[in-house]
Amino acid sequence: MSYSSDLYQQVILDHNRKPRNFFAMEDSTHHCEGYNPLCGDKITVYLKVGNGGVIEDISFNGSGCAISKSSASMMTAFLKGKTIDTAKSVFESFHAMVTDDPGFDQAKSNLGKLAIFEGVREYPSRIKCATLSWHTLISAIDDKKEAQTE
Amino acid sequence: MSYSSDLYQQVILDHNRKPRNFFAMEDSTHHCEGYNPLCGDKITVYLKVGNGGVIEDISFNGSGCAISKSSASMMTAFLKGKTIDTAKSVFESFHAMVTDDPGFDQAKSNLGKLAIFEGVREYPSRIKCATLSWHTLISAIDDKKEAQTE
Amino acid sequence: MKVDATIREIDIETVRKDFPVLSVKMGDNSIAYLDSGATAQKPLAVIERMKEFDSHQYATVHRGSYRLGEEATQIFESGRETIASFIGAKQGREIVYTSGATMSINLVAYGYGRKFIRRGDEIVISDMEHHANIVPWLKLCEETGAVLKVIPVTETGEFDESAFVKLLSARTKLVSITHVSNVLGTVNRVKELSALAHSAGAKVLVDGAQAAPHMKIDVSEIDSDFYVFSGHKMYGPTGVGVLYGKYDLLETMDPLLTGGDMIERVTFAGATYAPPPQRFEAGTPPITQVVGLCAAIDYLSAIGMETIEERERELLEYGSDLLRKIPQVRIIGTAPGKAAILSFVVDSVHPHDMVTILDGEGVAVRGGHHCAQPLMDRYNIPAATRASLAFYNTTEELDRLSAAIRKAVALFG
Amino acid sequence: MKVDATIREIDIETVRKDFPVLSVKMGDNSIAYLDSGATAQKPLAVIERMKEFDSHQYATVHRGSYRLGEEATQIFESGRETIASFIGAKQGREIVYTSGATMSINLVAYGYGRKFIRRGDEIVISDMEHHANIVPWLKLCEETGAVLKVIPVTETGEFDESAFVKLLSARTKLVSITHVSNVLGTVNRVKELSALAHSAGAKVLVDGAQAAPHMKIDVSEIDSDFYVFSGHKMYGPTGVGVLYGKYDLLETMDPLLTGGDMIERVTFAGATYAPPPQRFEAGTPPITQVVGLCAAIDYLSAIGMETIEERERELLEYGSDLLRKIPQVRIIGTAPGKAAILSFVVDSVHPHDMVTILDGEGVAVRGGHHCAQPLMDRYNIPAATRASLAFYNTTEELDRLSAAIRKAVALFG
Ligand SMILES: Cc1ncc(COP(=O)(O)O)c(C=O)c1O
Ligand SMILES: Cc1ncc(COP(=O)(O)O)c(C=O)c1O
C-alpha cells in the first residue's frame, strides 16, 4: 500500500466527488468565508440556527482540495440537526484528533464517521485542509466576517 | 625571528618614536586631512610648493599607528626639495610596492629608503596604514578637502 | 570538437553522487526531487567547502587584522570577483552580498526607490512576477504615491511586448521584471526589454533567481542596472544572495540596513556611510555562506553552464512529451525556449492532492500558488502543480512523475 | 552535590577538540583565539549538524508538502521552541528568525519605530552601544524628527543610572540598550532598567549580542519588549540571528522586508500580511543556519550556561591579574561582575600595532574602535585592543597574551 492511500480512502474520495450540502444558503442565520492562504482553498459555511441553538440547516460552497472539500461535506452531514454546543465540542475533538493532541482518546470521542480523518495527522501540511471548514464554522457561529487556519 | 619583526624594523620604530617634520605648518600652500575609518588614524599633510612645483617644505601631524606615522615621517623627509611630479611618481611606485603590483620592480624604482615598507605587503590590513599619508599628500596637491584610503 | 563535447557531457551517475540528498529514500524509492525551482540541492563540494572553512579558516571579516582574519577577509572579498565573472559584471565592487533575492529587491526598492521615486512616477512589473518582485513595489507605491503598471502575459506565458512598449513613458522610473518565470519557465528577452526601458529613461532590475542557476548570465550584455539572485537556488547555501548593481548607481543609493561595518564615522549627531558595496552590508555578513556560494559557482563552472542548459533542455523535452500524453493534464506555460519548469493542472485533482499522491510515490513536486498569486488569477486557477528540473534529474525520474500523475488521475477519476 | 559538579565541570582538553579552529597553527604555535567577541568559533556539533542537514534533510520550508519538505519545515519551526526555551521566552512564535542582530535591530527600528515614533518623541540609548544599536536610531530620528538621548557611562564603564532616570519622561518611546558591552564587558542591570523604562511608558529593546553566548538569559524575567542576538557569536553559523518580541507587540508591527512567505493575499491592488513571526520573514529564510544555531544551543545547554559563566569568570580574573601587572597597560572597563572582555590601551603602542605584534606571537585579538566610536570618544582614545574570551580559552593562552603585550611594550619602548 502506498504512503498516501490511507489518506485518500473511498469515503473521502466520494465526498470530494459528490459533496453533500454543497450550495449557498439564501436564508442562513450565520455564514462565514474561510481561506487557507497556503494553498488558496476558499470555503464559505452557511448555517440556519433555530430555537435552542439547533442547527436546522447547514451547507457550504467554494473550492479546495479533496481533503478540505470532503471534510466540509462530512462536517455538514454530521452536524445537521445537532446543537451549536455539540458542534463546538465536536470541533474540539476533531482538532485534537488531527493535531495528534496527547489528550485525545478516539474511543471516547464523539466523532463517529469523522474519525476517518485521523490519518491526516501524518501529513502536517494537510491538517489545515481538514480543519478549514471547522474553523470557518466556528467563526460563522461567532459572527466573525472571515476565518483563517491558524 | 617572529612573524612581525620584518615589519617593525628599527628605522620604522625610530620614525614612529621621533617623527620628522611633525608639526602643523602655518604658511602651507596646500594641506589635507586624511582618515582611515578602519583604525581611526587621522593625519594632516601640509605642503609649501614654490616655483617650478618644488616642494619647499612639507610636514604632517595627527595620530596613528606606527606604520602610518613612520610612513608619513619618511615620506616628508624623502620629498622635501623634490618636485610635485616626482612626488606623484614616487607615490605610484610606493603604491605598487606595498600592493605587490606584478609590474613593480624594486631595483628600477625610485624609492630609496622608502623600500623598507616592502614588508607591509605581507599584512593586507596594514597597507592602508602605510599609504594613508601618501593618499593624503596626493589629495593635498589636488586641493581636495579630505582624503581617504581606498 | 568531439573531445571537448565528451569532456563536457554530463556523466549523470557521477553527478548524482555529488548530491547526497538525491539518494534519500522515500518509501522504497530514492526521492525523485523535482522541486529545484523552490530550492536546489547542494553538491558535496559546497557542503564540504563550508565545513572546511568553518573548521580551519573561520574568523570575522574586515575587522580582524590577525592572519586568520585577514585570510578570511581575503577569501570573502575575492568572492565578489568570482561572482562578478560568473555573471559578466565588470567589477567585484558591483557585487553586494545580501541574505537572498528577496532582500536584494527590497534593498533596491528602499535604497533606490524611496530615494528617487515620487508621487506620479511609474514602476513597471509584470503579470508573471514572484511575490518578491511585487510586494516591495506595492509597498513603495503605497508610501510614495507612485503607480504600479503591469505588463500583461499572453496565453502561452510570454510578455506582451507591444503592450510593454505602450506602458513606457517619461513617467516610468523603474522596470522590474523576472528573467525566468518560476511558474511558466518563460525566458524573457531581458536584453531587449532593458534597452526599451532605458530608451524611455527608466532603470531596470532583472530578477534572476530562476535564471542564474540554469543558464549563462551576462549582465553586461543584458545591460540591466540591477540583477538579483539567491544562493540556495543555485546549489549554494541558504542565507546568502546577491545584488549586482552598476557602480555609479549604487553610489547614489541609501542603505536599507544600518549598523556596524557600513559606516565611516559615527557620532550621536549623525553617521556617514561607507562607499558601496560595504554601505549595503551592515553587520556581520553571511561569511561562510559566501564561501559556499563561491564553491557552488566553481562547481557549476566546472560542468559548464552551456552543458547544464543543454541537459535541462533535453530533460524538459522528455518531460513535456510525457505530460502531453496524459489527456487530463493542462500545461501552464508553453513559451518557446522555456526553461525546465513544468507547471500543470488537472481538473479533477487539486494540486494539493496531486502533491500528496506524488509524494506517496516518492516524487517531490510543489503545489500551490508558487508565490505568484496574480499569475494564478491571470490563468484563472487557484493553484498549480510544478515540477522544476535541474541537470541532476533523470528521464527515469520523469517516468516516475508521469506514472504518478496517471495514478492520481485514476484515483480521482 | 559533588557528583553533579564533576559532571558539569568543563574538561577543557575535550572541549577544545570540539572546536577545530583552535588547533590551527600560527607559526609554531596553535592560534590563541581571543576574538570570540567578534565572532565565536564553531564546535563540530554545529558544523556536522549543518552538513548532515544539507546532505540528508534539506528542502525548502513552508511550501513543500512532500515529506522531505514537511520534515525540513518541522525541524525549522521547532527551532523556535528550542530558542524560546533557551532565552526564557514563553512561546516559539515570539522568535523571529533574522540574518543577525543588526538586522533584528533594524527590523524594530523600521517595523516599530517608523510606525509608532513621531516628531518630538524620544529614544534613549547609551554611550556604550555598538554601532548596530546606534545608527538605526540615528536614521529613525532623522526621518521622523524624534530625538536621541544618551545614557552617560561612568569611568568604570557603568550606566549612570540616576542620569538614566532623569532622561525618562512621557516623551520616551523606546529605550534600546546593550545587555553586555562589547568593549567594556559591563553587564548592565537590564531587568531594573527595563522596569524603570516601562514605568515611564517606554518600550525596551535589549541588545543581547554579547550576552546570549555567555550567560543564562531569561527574557521573561528581564521583561524587555525585544531581545536580539546573532548566531555566529554564540558558536552557531553566520547568516542567522534572532529577534525576540512580545507577541502582542509583534502583531502591531510592520514588516521590514516584503515578498514571498510573509503575505496572505497579493493582488496588484495590495497585499495583506501574515501574522508574526512569518510577517517578518520574507523570502527563503536561513534554513540550514537555523538548524546550526539550534545545534549550538544544544551544545551550550549540554555544558550548561552556569558552567560556562563560571569558567569565563575564572579566565577573566586570571587575565585581568596578568594585565594589571603590566604597568603600561590601562584596562578600559572595570565594572564589577563584568563579562570576559579585556579591552586595554598602552600609550606607546597603537592598538593596530599591538594587534600585529600579538598576531606575530599567534595571539589573535582585535584592535580598533570595535564599532563603538562614541565610546572611544567617551574615553578619549582613538582605538583600543580587545581580548574577548570564551569558555574554550585557557590560562596558557592568557599567559601568551601577557607575554606578547610585554614584548610589544619593550619593542616600542
Ligand atoms: C553589542 C553588539 N551588538 C550588535 C552587534 C552586531 O551583531 P552582528 O554583526 O552579528 O549583526 C555586535 C557584534 O559586533 C555587538 O557586539
Ligand atoms: C522568480 C523568483 N524571484 C524571487 C524569488 C525569491 O527568492 P528567495 O526566496 O531566495 O529570496 C524566487 C524564489 O522563490 C523566485 O522564484
Side-chain angles (χ1 to χ4, degrees):
Chain A
M1 209 169 80
S2 91
Y3 169 70
S4 53
S5 39
D6 37 316
L7 182 61
Y8 294 103
Q9 297 185 42
Q10 275 313 323
V11 181
I12 289 179
L13 292 171
D14 177 63
H15 275 269
N16 176 50
R17 226 172 277 128
K18 292 173 293 185
R20 321 299 193 263
N21 307 306
F22 189 69
F23 62 93
M25 198 187 297
E26 308 257 299
D27 56 346
S28 65
T29 55
H30 303 67
H31 76 274
C32 181
E33 177 175 315
Y35 178 61
N36 179 347
L38 196 70
C39 49
D41 288 356
K42 229 180 252 175
I43 273 179
T44 306
V45 171
Y46 304 86
L47 288 168
K48 198 190 304 173
V49 180
N51 282 345
V54 173
I55 298 172
E56 292 175 355
D57 202 3
I58 174 169
S59 73
F60 79 104
N61 68 359
S63 69
C65 65
I67 303 301
S68 67
K69 230 155 111 187
S70 60
S71 177
S73 171
M74 290 182 71
M75 174 184 85
T76 57
F78 190 85
L79 292 182
K80 202 183 288 189
K82 300 220 162 58
T83 65
I84 278 182
D85 286 348
T86 306
K88 286 186 172 176
S89 109
V90 174
F91 164 67
E92 278 175 18
S93 301
F94 189 84
H95 194 266
M97 174 180 72
V98 298
T99 56
D100 211 2
D101 188 319
F104 175 71
D105 181 348
Q106 179 84 279
K108 291 196 202 129
S109 86
N110 49 3
L111 289 174
K113 283 185 186 166
L114 301 176
I116 200 166
F117 287 99
E118 190 180 3
V120 169
R121 64 164 74 141
E122 305 299 327
Y123 305 80
S125 70
R126 310 306 303 277
I127 293 170
K128 290 182 179 180
C129 307
T131 56
L132 176 60
S133 56
W134 287 93
H135 283 290
T136 311
L137 168 82
I138 298 301
S139 296
I141 292 174
D142 295 345
D143 286 327
K144 292 203 181 129
K145 271 176 78 178
E146 233 182 289
Q148 255 177 38
T149 54
E150 327 88 306
Chain B
M1 210 171 81
S2 92
Y3 169 70
S4 53
S5 40
D6 38 316
L7 183 59
Y8 294 103
Q9 298 185 42
Q10 274 314 322
V11 181
I12 290 180
L13 291 172
D14 177 62
H15 274 270
N16 177 50
R17 227 174 275 125
K18 291 173 292 184
R20 322 297 195 263
N21 307 306
F22 188 68
F23 62 92
M25 198 187 295
E26 307 258 298
D27 56 346
S28 66
T29 56
H30 303 67
H31 76 273
C32 180
E33 176 175 315
Y35 177 62
N36 179 345
L38 196 69
C39 49
D41 288 356
K42 230 181 251 174
I43 272 179
T44 306
V45 171
Y46 304 87
L47 289 168
K48 198 190 305 171
V49 179
N51 281 346
V54 172
I55 299 174
E56 292 174 356
D57 201 3
I58 174 166
S59 72
F60 80 105
N61 67 359
S63 69
C65 65
I67 303 301
S68 67
K69 233 155 109 187
S70 60
S71 177
S73 170
M74 291 183 71
M75 174 185 85
T76 56
F78 190 87
L79 292 183
K80 201 183 289 188
K82 301 221 162 60
T83 65
I84 277 183
D85 286 349
T86 306
K88 285 187 172 175
S89 108
V90 174
F91 164 67
E92 277 174 21
S93 301
F94 189 84
H95 194 267
M97 174 180 72
V98 297
T99 57
D100 211 3
D101 188 320
F104 175 71
D105 181 346
Q106 179 84 279
K108 291 199 202 124
S109 85
N110 50 3
L111 289 175
K113 283 188 186 163
L114 300 176
I116 198 167
F117 287 99
E118 190 181 2
V120 169
R121 65 163 73 141
E122 305 300 328
Y123 304 80
S125 70
R126 310 306 303 275
I127 294 169
K128 289 181 179 180
C129 307
T131 56
L132 176 60
S133 56
W134 287 95
H135 282 290
T136 311
L137 168 82
I138 299 301
S139 296
I141 292 173
D142 295 345
D143 286 328
K144 291 203 181 131
K145 269 177 76 180
E146 231 183 291
Q148 252 176 42
T149 54
E150 323 91 306
Chain C
M1 296 289 287
K2 185 149 188 336
V3 179
D4 247 350
T6 319
I7 291 170
R8 297 179 64 84
E9 212 162 76
I10 285 186
D11 172 358
I12 186 65
E13 283 316 310
T14 310
V15 160
R16 285 181 68 84
K17 286 206 193 87
D18 290 340
F19 293 84
V21 167
L22 302 182
S23 305
V24 166
K25 292 277 171 217
M26 284 292 137
D28 300 334
N29 294 307
S30 286
I31 189 170
Y33 185 76
L34 303 177
D35 197 22
S36 298
T39 198
Q41 295 301 337
K42 288 110 198 49
L44 278 171
V46 168
I47 298 171
E48 295 287 356
R49 180 68 190 99
M50 292 195 288
K51 176 178 167 172
E52 165 64 17
F53 182 80
D54 276 347
S55 298
H56 299 114
Q57 306 180 292
Y58 182 73
T60 198
V61 295
H62 302 151
R63 306 175 187 181
S65 55
Y66 44 89
R67 277 164 287 174
L68 193 70
E70 293 201 342
E71 280 155 26
T73 303
Q74 205 273 322
I75 293 168
F76 177 80
E77 284 300 318
S78 71
R80 298 189 205 273
E81 306 297 334
T82 304
I83 295 166
S85 85
F86 185 70
I87 63 167
K90 290 194 194 79
Q91 320 171 51
R93 62 186 188 150
E94 297 185 318
I95 302 300
V96 179
Y97 297 132
T98 68
S99 61
T102 297
M103 162 102 159
S104 302
I105 296 173
N106 276 272
L107 204 164
V108 175
Y110 188 93
Y112 181 82
R114 277 252 198 177
K115 186 151 178 196
F116 296 111
I117 291 178
R118 303 266 165 278
R119 173 169 304 281
D121 287 348
E122 292 177 0
I123 298 165
V124 175
I125 62 171
S126 89
D127 250 349
M128 66 168 93
E129 300 308 320
H130 186 278
H131 290 167
N133 198 24
I134 300 175
V135 193
W137 308 117
L138 282 174
K139 190 163 164 249
L140 181 67
C141 288
E142 223 174 74
E143 288 170 355
T144 59
V147 179
L148 197 68
K149 298 274 168 176
V150 182
I151 310 171
V153 163
T154 66
E155 194 58 30
T156 55
E158 293 164 271
F159 280 161
D160 180 338
E161 290 190 19
S162 63
F164 173 61
V165 171
K166 278 184 213 130
L167 286 180
L168 292 173
S169 78
R171 287 186 303 278
T172 316
K173 283 293 166 316
L174 187 87
V175 174
S176 190
I177 49 176
T178 195
H179 195 166
V180 172
S181 158
N182 66 317
V183 176
L184 307 166
T186 315
V187 181
N188 292 309
R189 297 170 8 109
V190 286
K191 183 184 162 186
E192 289 75 10
L193 299 171
S194 182
L196 287 169
H198 281 154
S199 60
K203 302 291 178 211
V204 176
L205 183 152
V206 174
D207 174 359
Q210 295 291 340
H214 301 294
M215 57 186 65
K216 181 96 203 77
I217 304 299
D218 188 336
V219 292
S220 299
E221 206 198 311
I222 296 169
D223 195 32
S224 62
D225 301 281
F226 304 105
Y227 195 93
V228 308
F229 55 96
S230 286
H232 71 97
K233 288 190 203 275
M234 48 190 292
Y235 314 98
T238 51
V240 65
V242 168
L243 165 64
Y244 155 82
K246 289 183 181 169
Y247 197 77
D248 53 355
L249 205 53
L250 290 178
E251 271 189 311
T252 66
M253 285 165 55
D254 282 340
L256 170 62
L257 304 182
T258 59
D261 246 31
M262 53 71 70
I263 52 88
E264 266 166 11
R265 305 191 202 197
V266 175
T267 67
F268 291 124
T272 56
Y273 300 141
Q278 275 70 33
R279 184 186 303 164
F280 306 108
E281 298 176 1
T284 304
I287 306 173
T288 307
Q289 293 71 43
V290 163
V291 172
L293 173 56
C294 290
I297 288 179
D298 290 344
Y299 181 88
L300 293 174
S301 303
I303 297 179
M305 292 312 290
E306 292 82 359
T307 312
I308 286 173
E309 231 182 302
E310 195 176 312
R311 177 165 176 89
E312 291 180 355
R313 195 179 305 122
E314 285 166 13
L315 287 170
L316 175 69
E317 258 171 50
Y318 187 90
S320 304
D321 281 350
L322 285 177
L323 259 57
R324 278 193 292 258
K325 287 194 191 112
I326 308 174
Q328 293 83 350
V329 164
R330 176 158 68 102
I331 295 176
I332 307 291
T334 51
K338 66 178 264 192
I341 289 173
L342 273 168
S343 292
F344 62 93
V345 291
V346 170
D347 280 342
S348 60
V349 191
H350 189 280
H352 221 159
D353 299 312
M354 183 66 84
V355 169
T356 301
I357 307 278
L358 266 51
D359 184 31
E361 308 296 312
V363 177
V365 299
R366 184 172 162 203
H369 54 58
H370 308 281
C371 293
Q373 288 181 0
L375 188 65
M376 299 295 112
D377 295 345
R378 155 71 184 79
Y379 282 97
N380 211 359
I381 49 179
T385 306
R386 178 186 75 181
S388 52
L389 315 182
F391 61 91
Y392 49 52
N393 289 125
T394 63
T395 52
E396 185 262 333
E397 290 175 319
L398 293 168
D399 291 338
R400 283 171 59 197
L401 167 70
S402 154
I405 297 173
R406 286 181 187 274
K407 183 170 169 174
V409 170
L411 188 65
F412 280 79
Chain D
M1 293 289 286
K2 184 143 192 340
V3 178
D4 246 349
T6 318
I7 292 171
R8 297 178 65 84
E9 211 162 77
I10 286 186
D11 173 358
I12 187 65
E13 284 315 312
T14 310
V15 160
R16 285 181 67 86
K17 286 206 194 87
D18 290 340
F19 293 83
V21 167
L22 301 183
S23 306
V24 165
K25 291 277 171 216
M26 284 291 137
D28 300 333
N29 294 306
S30 286
I31 189 169
Y33 185 76
L34 303 178
D35 197 22
S36 298
T39 198
Q41 295 301 337
K42 288 110 198 48
L44 278 171
V46 168
I47 298 172
E48 295 287 357
R49 179 68 190 99
M50 292 195 288
K51 176 177 169 173
E52 165 64 19
F53 181 80
D54 276 347
S55 298
H56 300 115
Q57 306 180 293
Y58 183 74
T60 198
V61 295
H62 302 150
R63 306 173 186 184
S65 55
Y66 45 88
R67 277 163 287 175
L68 193 70
E70 294 202 342
E71 279 155 28
T73 303
Q74 205 273 321
I75 292 169
F76 177 80
E77 284 299 318
S78 71
R80 299 190 206 272
E81 306 296 333
T82 305
I83 295 167
S85 85
F86 185 69
I87 62 165
K90 291 195 193 78
Q91 322 172 51
R93 63 186 187 149
E94 296 184 318
I95 302 300
V96 179
Y97 297 132
T98 69
S99 61
T102 299
M103 162 99 158
S104 302
I105 296 172
N106 276 271
L107 204 164
V108 175
Y110 188 93
Y112 181 82
R114 276 252 199 177
K115 187 152 177 197
F116 296 112
I117 291 177
R118 302 268 165 275
R119 172 169 305 280
D121 286 349
E122 292 176 359
I123 299 166
V124 175
I125 62 172
S126 89
D127 251 347
M128 67 167 94
E129 299 309 319
H130 186 279
H131 290 166
N133 198 23
I134 301 176
V135 193
W137 307 117
L138 281 174
K139 189 162 166 251
L140 181 68
C141 287
E142 224 174 74
E143 288 170 356
T144 58
V147 179
L148 197 67
K149 297 277 169 175
V150 183
I151 310 171
V153 163
T154 66
E155 194 59 30
T156 54
E158 294 165 270
F159 281 161
D160 180 338
E161 289 191 18
S162 63
F164 173 61
V165 171
K166 278 185 213 128
L167 287 179
L168 293 172
S169 76
R171 288 185 302 278
T172 316
K173 282 292 167 319
L174 187 87
V175 174
S176 190
I177 48 177
T178 195
H179 195 167
V180 171
S181 158
N182 67 317
V183 176
L184 307 167
T186 315
V187 182
N188 292 310
R189 299 174 0 113
V190 287
K191 183 185 162 187
E192 289 75 10
L193 299 171
S194 182
L196 288 169
H198 281 154
S199 59
K203 301 292 178 210
V204 176
L205 182 153
V206 174
D207 173 358
Q210 295 290 341
H214 301 294
M215 57 186 67
K216 182 93 204 79
I217 303 300
D218 189 337
V219 293
S220 299
E221 207 200 310
I222 296 169
D223 196 33
S224 61
D225 301 281
F226 304 105
Y227 195 93
V228 309
F229 54 95
S230 285
H232 72 96
K233 288 190 203 273
M234 47 190 292
Y235 315 97
T238 51
V240 65
V242 168
L243 165 65
Y244 154 83
K246 288 183 181 169
Y247 197 78
D248 52 354
L249 204 53
L250 290 177
E251 269 189 313
T252 66
M253 284 165 56
D254 282 340
L256 170 62
L257 304 181
T258 58
D261 247 32
M262 54 70 70
I263 53 87
E264 267 167 9
R265 305 190 200 197
V266 175
T267 69
F268 292 123
T272 56
Y273 300 141
Q278 274 70 33
R279 183 186 303 164
F280 306 107
E281 297 176 1
T284 304
I287 306 172
T288 307
Q289 293 70 43
V290 163
V291 173
L293 174 56
C294 291
I297 288 179
D298 290 344
Y299 181 86
L300 292 175
S301 303
I303 297 179
M305 292 312 290
E306 293 82 0
T307 311
I308 286 173
E309 231 181 305
E310 194 175 312
R311 177 166 176 89
E312 291 180 355
R313 196 179 305 122
E314 285 164 15
L315 288 170
L316 175 68
E317 259 171 49
Y318 187 89
S320 304
D321 281 348
L322 284 177
L323 261 57
R324 277 192 293 256
K325 287 194 190 113
I326 308 175
Q328 293 84 351
V329 164
R330 176 158 67 103
I331 295 176
I332 307 291
T334 51
K338 66 179 265 192
I341 289 175
L342 274 168
S343 292
F344 62 93
V345 292
V346 170
D347 280 342
S348 60
V349 191
H350 190 281
H352 222 160
D353 299 311
M354 183 66 83
V355 169
T356 301
I357 307 277
L358 266 51
D359 184 31
E361 309 298 311
V363 177
V365 299
R366 185 174 162 200
H369 53 57
H370 307 280
C371 294
Q373 290 181 359
L375 188 64
M376 298 295 111
D377 295 345
R378 155 71 183 79
Y379 282 97
N380 210 1
I381 49 180
T385 307
R386 179 186 74 183
S388 52
L389 315 182
F391 61 91
Y392 48 53
N393 288 125
T394 62
T395 53
E396 185 261 335
E397 290 175 318
L398 293 168
D399 292 337
R400 285 172 57 197
L401 168 69
S402 155
I405 296 173
R406 286 181 187 273
K407 183 171 169 171
V409 170
L411 189 65
F412 281 77

